[in-house]
C-alpha cells in the first residue's frame, strides 16, 4: 500500500483558501455529514480548511480526531497502525495523531520549512517536503533522519511507495509528476501541460500506478512500464477535482471544488456521491476495512464450538484480528486463532449453551474498522459418558463334563452262582457301588473380577455460588467442587444477562462489571486441561447500584479525555464526546459536571472497560472554571474517577484568529495561482 498524498492547485486552491479564512473564524466542529451511499467497506479521513481532522466511519459515524489546529495544509497520510499525519505549512509543523490520542508535533531534527505534503511507508517512516529548504526529510520509526534533496521548482504534492523505494513529486512550475528512485535517478511520469492538462491532485497505488485528477473533471490512471507509460481516462464526470484517493482494494474516491461531498468513481466511469455536507474539505484519505471472513464452518463441543475460516483481504491495515458475538452483536469477544490447513485460521468460541442452537457472528477488525460479519450456527453438546465395564458375570467356560462319568462296570453286578461247596453260605460278592468319579474342572460359574471405577473426564461442578450487589458491579464467591482426580486450573464466572465474564486462576471469588439497575444471576464452571465442568446452579439475584454523585468534584489525578484529545475550554450548549478507560468491563459510569453537580448522563463501558459518550454542556452553565468527571469502578470493584477541568466561555465568544496565519494563506494562494497562470501564458 502507498502512504501518500496529492494536492489541488490554481484557482481551486485560492477559492478554498478564501473559504478557509471564513471557516477559521469559528473552528468548532460540526457533525452534519450525511452518508448518502454505501461506505461500509471504507473509512474516510478529511481535513477541513478550518483546522479540523475528521474520520467518517463505515457506518457513517463522524469522529473529530483533531480540532482547531489553525492553518493546516492539504497533506494527509496514515501509517498501517492508524496513526494519522497532517501538515501545517505556515506553522512549519507536521502533526501526528495516534489512534485515540491527541495531536502532537513530529519532532524533526532537520529544519522543516513550509511542509506541503506528508507520506508514510510500511515501515512507519515519515516523509515530508520541506519546500523552504528544497529537500525531503525522511524520519525512520526509530527517529533517525535523512534529508533527500530534489531539483523540482515548486513541489506541491508528494507520494511514496509502500516500501519507500520511490518518491513521487508534483512540480507545479513545470507541470510534471516526477519519480525519484532510490538510486538517485529521476523519471518523468507525466507532463501535465502536455499529457494531462490541468492536473490538480494525484496519488499512487501499491502497483505504482499514478492517478491524476483534473480541473475539468477527469481522473486518469497512468500505468508505468519499461516502455512508454499508458494513460487511461477513467472518467470525465467528477467535476473540478480537489483531491483524489485510492484504497488498497483499488476503489477511487475524490472531492471536488465548490462541493461538500466525497464521490466514488466506479469501473464504468460513473460517479456516485458517498457522503455529503462535509465542512470545507481540502484533503482526503480513504482506507479499506478488512473483507469479511469466508468458509466459516463450526464444530460442536461441550459448551463451545471449534471454528475455522479463511480471512478476508486485510484492507488498509494488514494487522487484522478477529472477534465473535453470540448475542446478536450486543457484545464482541476476541477470538484467539491458530493457523490451520489451506490458509485457514482456527479457534474456539466458548460460553455456548448445550443443546440449544446458537448463531455465531465473526468479523475481522483493524485500525481502519470492522469487516462485514460472517455467520454460522451450531448446537453445543455435552460429551457422551464413557461406557462402564459390564457388571454381568462372564459365562464360565463349559467344563469337560458336567455329569459324573459312568463307573467302570464291576466284574459282576450279580452274585455268581455259588460253586457247590460243603458250605451252605454264599461267598461275599465284590462291591457293587460305582467308584468315586474324578471331579470335573468346575461344575459352577467362575466369579467375575470387580468392575473398574469410571474415569473422570472433567472437574466436578462448583457449588455454593453467591452474588453480592456492589456499585456498578457484582462480587461473586463460590465453593470449590469435590476432588475427582482432575486438576482444576481456574474458574470462569458467567453473568446472566451477559456478556460479562470473569476468569480466575484458582481464586474462588471475582468481580463482574454490571449495569446499574439490572437484575443478574451468575453461574460458575471449573476449568482444567481436560475441559470445563458443567455449569453450576444459578446464584441468588443481585442488582448493582449506580455510582453516587458527590457534592464536590472528586479529587483525582486521572485525566478524563475527549475524542478530540484534552480540551481546556468549552461553551454552553456545545456537544463534546467524553472518553474514559480503566473501568470494569460492561459497568455503569456516571458523567457529571461541577461546580454545582449536574449529571450529564450515564454510559456503559465496553469489554475493555472503556467508554465514549456524547454529552451536551448545560446551556445555563455559568462562565468560569468547571470540572467534568466520570465516576465508576475499576476491574477490581474499587471506586474510579476521571476528571477534566475546563474553562466555560460565553456562548457568543469566538476562537481568536491570528492575522499572520490568514495573511499567509492569502499570500500562498495568490502566489501559487499567479505562478500557474503566468506559466500557462508563457507556454501558450
Amino acid at each position: 500500500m502507498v502512504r501518500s498524498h496529492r494536492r489541488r492547485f490554481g484557482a481551486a486552491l485560492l477559492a478554498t483558501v478564501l473559504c478557509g479564512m471564513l471557516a477559521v473564524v469559528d473552528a468548532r466542529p460540526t457533525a452534519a455529514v450525511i452518508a448518502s451511499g454505501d461506505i461500509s467497506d471504507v473509512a474516510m479521513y478529511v481535513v477541513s480548511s478550518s483546522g479540523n481532522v475528521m474520520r467518517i466511519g463505515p457506518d457513517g459515524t463522524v469522529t473529530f480526531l483533531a480540532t482547531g489546529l489553525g492553518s493546516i495544509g492539504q497533506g494527509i497520510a496514515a501509517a498501517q497502525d492508524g496513526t494519522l499525519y497532517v501538515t501545517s505549512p505556515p506553522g512549519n509543523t507536521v502533526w501526528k495523531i495516534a489512534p485515540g490520542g491527541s495531536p502532537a508535533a513530529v519532532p524533526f531534527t532537520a529544519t522543516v520549512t513550509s511542509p506541503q505534503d506528508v507520506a508514510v511507508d510500511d515501515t512507519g517512516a515519515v516523509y515530508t517536503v520541506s519546500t523552504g529548504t528544497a529537500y525531503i526529510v525522511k524520519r525512520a520509526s526509530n527517529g533517525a533522519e535523512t534529508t533527500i534533496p530534489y531539483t523540482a521548482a515548486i513541489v506541491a504534492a508528494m507520494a511514496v511507495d509502500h516500501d519507500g523505494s520511490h518518491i513521487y513529486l508534483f512540480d507545479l512550475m513545470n507541470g510534471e509528476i516526477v519519480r525519484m528512485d532510490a538510486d538517485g535517478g529521476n523519471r518523468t511520469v507525466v507532463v501535465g501541460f502536455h499529457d494531462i492538462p490541468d492536473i490538480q491532485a494525484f496519488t499512487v497505488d501499491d502497483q505504482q500506478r499514478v492517478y491524476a485528477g483534473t480541473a475539468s473533471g477527469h481522473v486518469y490512471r497512468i500505468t508505468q512500464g519499461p516502455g512508454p507509460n499508458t494513460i487511461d481516462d477513467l472518467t470525465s464526470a467528477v467535476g473540478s477535482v480537489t483531491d483524489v484517493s485510492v484504497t488498497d482494494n483499488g476503489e477511487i474516491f475524490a472531492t471536488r471544488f465548490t462541493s461538500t461531498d466525497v464521490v466514488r468513481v466506479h469501473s464504468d466511469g460513473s460517479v456516485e456521491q458517498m457522503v455529503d455536507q462535509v465542512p470545507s474539505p481540502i484533503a482526503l484519505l480513504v482506507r479499506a476495512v478488512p473483507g469479511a471472513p469466508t468458509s466459516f464452518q463450526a464444530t460442536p463441543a461441550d459448551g463451545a464450538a471449534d471454528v475455522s475460516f479463511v480471512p478476508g483481504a486485510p484492507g488498509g491495515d494488514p494487522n487484522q484480528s478477529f472477534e465473535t458475538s453470540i448475542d446478536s452483536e450486543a457484545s464482541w469477544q476476541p477470538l484467539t486463532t491458530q493457523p490451520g490447513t489451506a490458509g485457514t485460521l482456527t479457534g474456539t468460541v466458548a460460553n455456548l449453551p448445550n443443546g440449544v442452537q446458537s448463531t455465531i457472528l465473526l468479523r475481522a477488525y483493524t485500525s481502519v474498522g470492522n469487516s462485514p460479519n460472517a455467520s454460522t450456527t451450531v448446537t453445543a453438546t455435552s460429551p457422551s459418558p464413557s461406557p462402564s465395564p459390564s457388571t454381568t458375570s462372564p459365562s464360565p467356560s463349559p467344563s469337560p463334563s458336567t455329569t459324573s462319568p459312568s463307573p467302570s462296570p464291576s466284574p459282576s453286578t450279580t452274585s455268581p452262582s455259588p460253586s457247590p461247596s460243603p458250605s451252605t453260605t454264599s461267598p461275599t460278592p465284590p462291591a457293587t457301588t460305582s467308584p468315586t468319579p474324578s471331579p470335573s474342572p468346575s461344575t459352577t460359574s467362575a466369579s467375575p473380577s470387580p468392575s473398574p471405577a469410571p474415569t473422570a473426564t472433567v472437574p466436578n461442578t462448583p457449588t455454593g455460588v453467591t452474588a453480592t450487589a456492589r456499585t456498578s458491579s457484582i462480587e461473586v464467591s463460590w465453593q470449590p467442587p469435590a476432588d475427582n482426580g482432575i486438576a482444576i486450573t481456574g474458574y470462569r464466572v458467567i453473568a446472566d444477562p451477559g456478556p460479562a465474564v470473569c476468569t480466575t486462576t484458582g481464586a474462588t471469588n471475582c468481580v463482574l462489571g454490571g449495569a446499574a439497575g439490572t437484575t443478574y444471576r451468575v453461574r460458575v464452571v471449573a476449568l482444567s486441561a481436560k475441559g470445563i465442568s458443567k455449569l453450576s446452579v444459578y446464584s441468588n439475584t443481585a442488582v448493582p447500584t449506580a455510582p453516587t454523585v458527590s457534592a464536590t468534584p472528586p479529587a483525582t489525578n486521572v485525566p478524563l479525555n475527549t475524542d478530540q484529545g484534552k480540551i481546556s475550554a468549552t461553551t454552553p450548549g456545545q456537544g463534546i464526546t467524553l472518553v474514559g478507560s480503566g473501568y470494569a468491563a460492561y459497568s455503569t459510569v456516571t458523567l457529571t459536571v461541577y461546580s454545582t453537580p449536574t449529571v450529564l448522563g450515564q454510559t456503559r463501558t465496553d469489554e475493555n472497560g472503556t467508554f465514549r459518550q456524547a454529552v451536551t454542556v448545560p446551556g445555563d452553565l455559568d462562565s468560569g472554571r468547571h470540572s467534568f468527571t466520570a465516576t465508576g469502578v475499576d476491574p477490581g470493584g474499587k471506586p474510579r474517577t476521571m476528571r477534566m477541568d475546563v474553562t466555560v466561555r460565553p456562548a457568543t465568544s469566538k476562537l481568536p484568529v491570528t492575522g499572520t496565519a490568514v495573511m499567509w494563506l492569502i499570500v500562498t494562494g495568490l502566489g501559487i495561482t499567479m505562478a500557474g497562470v503566468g506559466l500557462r501564458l508563457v507556454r501558450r
Side-chain angles (χ1 to χ4, degrees), residues 588-636:
T588 295
V589 176
T590 299
L591 307 175
T592 310
V593 62
Y594 293 85
S595 299
T596 302
T598 301
V599 175
L600 302 176
Q602 290 183 337
T603 187
R604 192 179 184 191
T605 62
D606 61 16
E607 69 274 13
N608 299 314
T610 63
F611 72 84
R612 297 169 69 92
Q613 181 63 44
V615 299
T616 301
V617 180
D620 57 355
L621 198 61
D622 294 335
S623 299
R625 198 69 172 166
H626 294 271
S627 299
F628 289 84
T629 65
T631 304
V633 297
D634 67 13

Short mmCIF file of all heavy atoms in Angstrom, two decimals, residues 588-636:
data_model
loop_
_atom_site.label_atom_id
_atom_site.label_comp_id
_atom_site.label_asym_id
_atom_site.label_seq_id
_atom_site.Cartn_x
_atom_site.Cartn_y
_atom_site.Cartn_z
N THR A 588 -21.48 0.50 34.66
CA THR A 588 -22.08 1.82 34.52
C THR A 588 -21.12 2.89 35.03
O THR A 588 -20.51 2.75 36.10
CB THR A 588 -23.40 1.89 35.30
OG1 THR A 588 -24.34 1.01 34.70
CG2 THR A 588 -23.97 3.31 35.29
N VAL A 589 -20.99 3.97 34.26
CA VAL A 589 -20.19 5.14 34.64
C VAL A 589 -21.10 6.36 34.62
O VAL A 589 -21.86 6.56 33.65
CB VAL A 589 -19.01 5.34 33.68
CG1 VAL A 589 -18.25 6.62 34.01
CG2 VAL A 589 -18.07 4.14 33.72
N THR A 590 -21.07 7.16 35.68
CA THR A 590 -21.88 8.37 35.77
C THR A 590 -21.04 9.58 35.37
O THR A 590 -19.93 9.77 35.88
CB THR A 590 -22.42 8.56 37.20
OG1 THR A 590 -23.26 7.45 37.53
CG2 THR A 590 -23.25 9.84 37.30
N LEU A 591 -21.56 10.40 34.45
CA LEU A 591 -20.87 11.57 33.95
C LEU A 591 -21.49 12.82 34.57
O LEU A 591 -22.70 13.01 34.51
CB LEU A 591 -20.96 11.63 32.42
CG LEU A 591 -20.51 10.36 31.70
CD1 LEU A 591 -20.76 10.48 30.21
CD2 LEU A 591 -19.04 10.08 31.98
N THR A 592 -20.66 13.65 35.18
CA THR A 592 -21.14 14.79 35.96
C THR A 592 -20.29 16.02 35.65
O THR A 592 -19.09 15.90 35.37
CB THR A 592 -21.06 14.49 37.47
OG1 THR A 592 -21.68 13.23 37.73
CG2 THR A 592 -21.75 15.57 38.29
N VAL A 593 -20.92 17.21 35.70
CA VAL A 593 -20.17 18.45 35.59
C VAL A 593 -20.37 19.23 36.89
O VAL A 593 -21.46 19.25 37.46
CB VAL A 593 -20.61 19.27 34.36
CG1 VAL A 593 -22.08 19.69 34.44
CG2 VAL A 593 -19.71 20.49 34.18
N TYR A 594 -19.30 19.81 37.39
CA TYR A 594 -19.31 20.62 38.60
C TYR A 594 -18.90 22.04 38.21
O TYR A 594 -18.32 22.24 37.13
CB TYR A 594 -18.29 20.08 39.61
CG TYR A 594 -18.64 18.73 40.18
CD1 TYR A 594 -18.30 17.56 39.50
CD2 TYR A 594 -19.31 18.60 41.39
CE1 TYR A 594 -18.61 16.31 40.01
CE2 TYR A 594 -19.62 17.35 41.92
CZ TYR A 594 -19.27 16.20 41.23
OH TYR A 594 -19.58 14.97 41.76
N SER A 595 -19.28 23.11 38.96
CA SER A 595 -19.21 23.21 40.39
C SER A 595 -20.46 22.62 41.08
O SER A 595 -20.36 21.65 41.81
CB SER A 595 -19.04 24.67 40.79
OG SER A 595 -17.83 25.15 40.22
N THR A 596 -21.64 23.18 40.85
CA THR A 596 -22.83 22.52 41.37
C THR A 596 -23.01 21.24 40.56
O THR A 596 -23.08 21.30 39.33
CB THR A 596 -24.06 23.43 41.21
OG1 THR A 596 -23.82 24.65 41.89
CG2 THR A 596 -25.30 22.75 41.75
N PRO A 597 -23.05 20.07 41.20
CA PRO A 597 -23.06 18.83 40.41
C PRO A 597 -24.32 18.71 39.54
O PRO A 597 -25.44 18.84 40.03
CB PRO A 597 -23.01 17.74 41.49
CG PRO A 597 -23.52 18.39 42.74
CD PRO A 597 -23.10 19.82 42.64
N THR A 598 -24.10 18.47 38.26
CA THR A 598 -25.18 18.23 37.31
C THR A 598 -24.85 16.95 36.55
O THR A 598 -23.80 16.88 35.89
CB THR A 598 -25.32 19.39 36.31
OG1 THR A 598 -25.58 20.60 37.02
CG2 THR A 598 -26.43 19.12 35.32
N VAL A 599 -25.71 15.95 36.69
CA VAL A 599 -25.47 14.68 36.00
C VAL A 599 -25.77 14.86 34.51
O VAL A 599 -26.89 15.22 34.13
CB VAL A 599 -26.32 13.55 36.59
CG1 VAL A 599 -26.15 12.26 35.79
CG2 VAL A 599 -25.93 13.31 38.05
N LEU A 600 -24.75 14.61 33.69
CA LEU A 600 -24.91 14.73 32.23
C LEU A 600 -25.46 13.46 31.62
O LEU A 600 -25.96 13.48 30.49
CB LEU A 600 -23.57 15.07 31.59
CG LEU A 600 -22.88 16.35 32.09
CD1 LEU A 600 -21.52 16.49 31.43
CD2 LEU A 600 -23.76 17.55 31.79
N GLY A 601 -25.36 12.36 32.32
CA GLY A 601 -25.86 11.09 31.81
C GLY A 601 -25.06 9.93 32.36
O GLY A 601 -24.11 10.10 33.14
N GLN A 602 -25.46 8.74 31.98
CA GLN A 602 -24.74 7.53 32.34
C GLN A 602 -24.38 6.78 31.07
O GLN A 602 -25.06 6.89 30.05
CB GLN A 602 -25.58 6.64 33.26
CG GLN A 602 -25.78 7.21 34.66
CD GLN A 602 -26.56 6.27 35.56
OE1 GLN A 602 -27.30 5.42 35.08
NE2 GLN A 602 -26.39 6.44 36.87
N THR A 603 -23.30 6.03 31.13
CA THR A 603 -22.86 5.24 29.98
C THR A 603 -22.38 3.90 30.49
O THR A 603 -22.15 3.72 31.69
CB THR A 603 -21.74 5.95 29.21
OG1 THR A 603 -21.44 5.23 28.00
CG2 THR A 603 -20.47 6.06 30.04
N ARG A 604 -22.27 2.94 29.59
CA ARG A 604 -21.79 1.61 29.96
C ARG A 604 -20.50 1.31 29.20
O ARG A 604 -20.41 1.57 27.99
CB ARG A 604 -22.83 0.54 29.64
CG ARG A 604 -22.51 -0.82 30.27
CD ARG A 604 -23.56 -1.85 29.96
NE ARG A 604 -23.29 -3.10 30.65
CZ ARG A 604 -23.92 -4.25 30.41
NH1 ARG A 604 -24.90 -4.28 29.50
NH2 ARG A 604 -23.61 -5.35 31.06
N THR A 605 -19.51 0.80 29.89
CA THR A 605 -18.23 0.54 29.27
C THR A 605 -18.30 -0.68 28.36
O THR A 605 -19.23 -1.50 28.45
CB THR A 605 -17.14 0.30 30.33
OG1 THR A 605 -17.49 -0.87 31.10
CG2 THR A 605 -17.00 1.50 31.25
N ASP A 606 -17.29 -0.82 27.49
CA ASP A 606 -17.23 -1.97 26.60
C ASP A 606 -16.43 -3.10 27.25
O ASP A 606 -16.13 -3.05 28.45
CB ASP A 606 -16.65 -1.58 25.25
CG ASP A 606 -15.21 -1.06 25.35
OD1 ASP A 606 -14.56 -1.27 26.40
OD2 ASP A 606 -14.74 -0.44 24.38
N GLU A 607 -16.08 -4.12 26.45
CA GLU A 607 -15.38 -5.27 27.01
C GLU A 607 -13.99 -4.94 27.53
O GLU A 607 -13.41 -5.70 28.31
CB GLU A 607 -15.27 -6.38 25.96
CG GLU A 607 -14.34 -6.09 24.79
CD GLU A 607 -15.03 -5.34 23.66
OE1 GLU A 607 -16.15 -4.82 23.88
OE2 GLU A 607 -14.47 -5.28 22.57
N ASN A 608 -13.45 -3.79 27.12
CA ASN A 608 -12.14 -3.36 27.59
C ASN A 608 -12.21 -2.36 28.74
O ASN A 608 -11.18 -1.85 29.18
CB ASN A 608 -11.35 -2.74 26.44
CG ASN A 608 -11.12 -3.71 25.31
OD1 ASN A 608 -10.74 -4.86 25.54
ND2 ASN A 608 -11.37 -3.28 24.09
N GLY A 609 -13.42 -2.08 29.20
CA GLY A 609 -13.58 -1.12 30.29
C GLY A 609 -13.45 0.32 29.86
O GLY A 609 -13.17 1.20 30.68
N THR A 610 -13.66 0.61 28.56
CA THR A 610 -13.58 1.97 28.05
C THR A 610 -14.96 2.46 27.63
O THR A 610 -15.88 1.66 27.43
CB THR A 610 -12.63 2.06 26.85
OG1 THR A 610 -13.16 1.26 25.76
CG2 THR A 610 -11.25 1.54 27.21
N PHE A 611 -15.10 3.77 27.48
CA PHE A 611 -16.36 4.33 27.02
C PHE A 611 -16.10 5.57 26.18
O PHE A 611 -15.06 6.23 26.30
CB PHE A 611 -17.30 4.68 28.18
CG PHE A 611 -16.86 5.89 28.98
CD1 PHE A 611 -17.17 7.18 28.57
CD2 PHE A 611 -16.13 5.73 30.15
CE1 PHE A 611 -16.77 8.29 29.30
CE2 PHE A 611 -15.72 6.83 30.89
CZ PHE A 611 -16.04 8.12 30.46
N ARG A 612 -17.03 5.87 25.30
CA ARG A 612 -17.07 7.12 24.52
C ARG A 612 -18.52 7.56 24.56
O ARG A 612 -19.40 6.86 24.07
CB ARG A 612 -16.64 6.89 23.07
CG ARG A 612 -15.20 6.43 22.91
CD ARG A 612 -14.92 5.99 21.48
NE ARG A 612 -14.94 7.09 20.56
CZ ARG A 612 -13.85 7.80 20.22
NH1 ARG A 612 -12.67 7.48 20.73
NH2 ARG A 612 -13.93 8.80 19.37
N GLN A 613 -18.80 8.70 25.16
CA GLN A 613 -20.17 9.14 25.35
C GLN A 613 -20.31 10.61 25.00
O GLN A 613 -19.61 11.46 25.56
CB GLN A 613 -20.62 8.90 26.80
CG GLN A 613 -22.05 9.31 27.08
CD GLN A 613 -23.04 8.48 26.27
OE1 GLN A 613 -22.89 7.26 26.18
NE2 GLN A 613 -24.03 9.12 25.69
N ALA A 614 -21.23 10.90 24.08
CA ALA A 614 -21.51 12.29 23.71
C ALA A 614 -22.38 12.92 24.78
O ALA A 614 -23.36 12.33 25.23
CB ALA A 614 -22.20 12.34 22.35
N VAL A 615 -22.02 14.13 25.20
CA VAL A 615 -22.80 14.89 26.17
C VAL A 615 -22.92 16.32 25.67
O VAL A 615 -22.20 16.75 24.76
CB VAL A 615 -22.16 14.87 27.57
CG1 VAL A 615 -22.07 13.46 28.12
CG2 VAL A 615 -20.78 15.52 27.54
N THR A 616 -23.83 17.05 26.26
CA THR A 616 -24.02 18.46 25.92
C THR A 616 -23.72 19.31 27.14
O THR A 616 -24.24 19.05 28.24
CB THR A 616 -25.46 18.72 25.44
OG1 THR A 616 -25.73 17.91 24.29
CG2 THR A 616 -25.65 20.19 25.08
N VAL A 617 -22.87 20.30 26.96
CA VAL A 617 -22.59 21.23 28.05
C VAL A 617 -23.88 21.97 28.39
O VAL A 617 -24.53 22.53 27.50
CB VAL A 617 -21.49 22.23 27.65
CG1 VAL A 617 -21.20 23.20 28.78
CG2 VAL A 617 -20.22 21.49 27.23
N PRO A 618 -24.30 21.96 29.65
CA PRO A 618 -25.58 22.62 30.00
C PRO A 618 -25.61 24.06 29.52
O PRO A 618 -24.65 24.82 29.66
CB PRO A 618 -25.60 22.54 31.54
CG PRO A 618 -24.77 21.34 31.86
CD PRO A 618 -23.68 21.32 30.83
N GLY A 619 -26.75 24.43 28.95
CA GLY A 619 -26.89 25.78 28.40
C GLY A 619 -26.87 26.87 29.44
O GLY A 619 -26.56 28.02 29.13
N ASP A 620 -27.19 26.52 30.69
CA ASP A 620 -27.21 27.54 31.74
C ASP A 620 -25.96 27.51 32.61
O ASP A 620 -25.92 28.10 33.69
CB ASP A 620 -28.44 27.35 32.63
CG ASP A 620 -28.50 25.95 33.25
OD1 ASP A 620 -27.64 25.10 32.92
OD2 ASP A 620 -29.41 25.70 34.07
N LEU A 621 -24.92 26.82 32.14
CA LEU A 621 -23.70 26.73 32.92
C LEU A 621 -22.99 28.09 32.93
O LEU A 621 -22.76 28.70 31.88
CB LEU A 621 -22.77 25.67 32.33
CG LEU A 621 -21.66 25.13 33.23
CD1 LEU A 621 -22.25 24.47 34.47
CD2 LEU A 621 -20.80 24.13 32.47
N ASP A 622 -22.66 28.56 34.12
CA ASP A 622 -22.02 29.87 34.26
C ASP A 622 -20.62 29.86 33.67
O ASP A 622 -19.94 28.82 33.62
CB ASP A 622 -21.94 30.27 35.73
CG ASP A 622 -23.32 30.51 36.34
OD1 ASP A 622 -24.24 30.82 35.57
OD2 ASP A 622 -23.46 30.36 37.57
N SER A 623 -20.17 31.01 33.24
CA SER A 623 -18.80 31.14 32.76
C SER A 623 -17.84 30.95 33.93
O SER A 623 -18.16 31.25 35.08
CB SER A 623 -18.58 32.53 32.15
OG SER A 623 -19.43 32.72 31.04
N GLY A 624 -16.69 30.42 33.62
CA GLY A 624 -15.69 30.20 34.66
C GLY A 624 -15.14 28.79 34.62
O GLY A 624 -15.29 28.06 33.64
N ARG A 625 -14.49 28.39 35.71
CA ARG A 625 -13.81 27.10 35.78
C ARG A 625 -14.78 26.02 36.24
O ARG A 625 -15.49 26.18 37.23
CB ARG A 625 -12.65 27.19 36.76
CG ARG A 625 -11.62 26.09 36.63
CD ARG A 625 -10.84 26.22 35.35
NE ARG A 625 -9.71 25.29 35.30
CZ ARG A 625 -9.05 25.01 34.20
NH1 ARG A 625 -9.39 25.59 33.07
NH2 ARG A 625 -8.03 24.18 34.23
N HIS A 626 -14.82 24.91 35.50
CA HIS A 626 -15.72 23.79 35.85
C HIS A 626 -14.97 22.47 35.66
O HIS A 626 -13.91 22.43 35.02
CB HIS A 626 -16.97 23.81 34.99
CG HIS A 626 -17.85 24.99 35.24
ND1 HIS A 626 -18.85 25.01 36.18
CD2 HIS A 626 -17.87 26.23 34.66
CE1 HIS A 626 -19.46 26.19 36.18
NE2 HIS A 626 -18.88 26.95 35.26
N SER A 627 -15.54 21.40 36.21
CA SER A 627 -14.92 20.08 36.14
C SER A 627 -15.90 19.06 35.59
O SER A 627 -17.04 18.97 36.07
CB SER A 627 -14.44 19.62 37.52
OG SER A 627 -13.48 20.51 38.04
N PHE A 628 -15.46 18.30 34.60
CA PHE A 628 -16.22 17.16 34.10
C PHE A 628 -15.61 15.90 34.72
O PHE A 628 -14.39 15.72 34.71
CB PHE A 628 -16.13 17.07 32.58
CG PHE A 628 -16.89 18.14 31.86
CD1 PHE A 628 -16.34 19.40 31.65
CD2 PHE A 628 -18.18 17.90 31.41
CE1 PHE A 628 -17.05 20.39 30.99
CE2 PHE A 628 -18.90 18.89 30.75
CZ PHE A 628 -18.34 20.14 30.54
N THR A 629 -16.46 15.03 35.25
CA THR A 629 -15.97 13.81 35.89
C THR A 629 -16.71 12.60 35.36
O THR A 629 -17.85 12.69 34.90
CB THR A 629 -16.14 13.87 37.42
OG1 THR A 629 -17.54 13.90 37.74
CG2 THR A 629 -15.44 15.08 38.02
N ALA A 630 -16.02 11.45 35.44
CA ALA A 630 -16.61 10.15 35.09
C ALA A 630 -16.34 9.23 36.27
O ALA A 630 -15.19 8.93 36.58
CB ALA A 630 -15.99 9.61 33.82
N THR A 631 -17.41 8.78 36.95
CA THR A 631 -17.28 8.01 38.18
C THR A 631 -17.84 6.61 37.99
O THR A 631 -18.96 6.43 37.50
CB THR A 631 -18.03 8.71 39.34
OG1 THR A 631 -17.54 10.05 39.47
CG2 THR A 631 -17.82 7.97 40.65
N GLY A 632 -17.05 5.62 38.38
CA GLY A 632 -17.47 4.22 38.29
C GLY A 632 -16.58 3.38 39.16
O GLY A 632 -16.11 3.83 40.22
N VAL A 633 -16.31 2.14 38.72
CA VAL A 633 -15.42 1.25 39.48
C VAL A 633 -14.41 0.64 38.53
O VAL A 633 -14.65 0.49 37.33
CB VAL A 633 -16.21 0.13 40.19
CG1 VAL A 633 -17.16 0.71 41.23
CG2 VAL A 633 -16.97 -0.74 39.19
N ASP A 634 -13.25 0.26 39.09
CA ASP A 634 -12.22 -0.38 38.28
C ASP A 634 -12.50 -1.88 38.20
O ASP A 634 -13.47 -2.37 38.80
CB ASP A 634 -10.84 -0.07 38.85
CG ASP A 634 -10.58 -0.71 40.22
OD1 ASP A 634 -11.36 -1.59 40.65
OD2 ASP A 634 -9.60 -0.33 40.86
N PRO A 635 -11.68 -2.66 37.47
CA PRO A 635 -11.96 -4.09 37.33
C PRO A 635 -12.02 -4.86 38.64
O PRO A 635 -12.62 -5.93 38.70
CB PRO A 635 -10.80 -4.59 36.45
CG PRO A 635 -10.42 -3.39 35.64
CD PRO A 635 -10.59 -2.23 36.56
N GLY A 636 -11.41 -4.32 39.70
CA GLY A 636 -11.49 -4.97 41.00
C GLY A 636 -12.65 -4.52 41.85
O GLY A 636 -12.80 -4.95 42.99
#
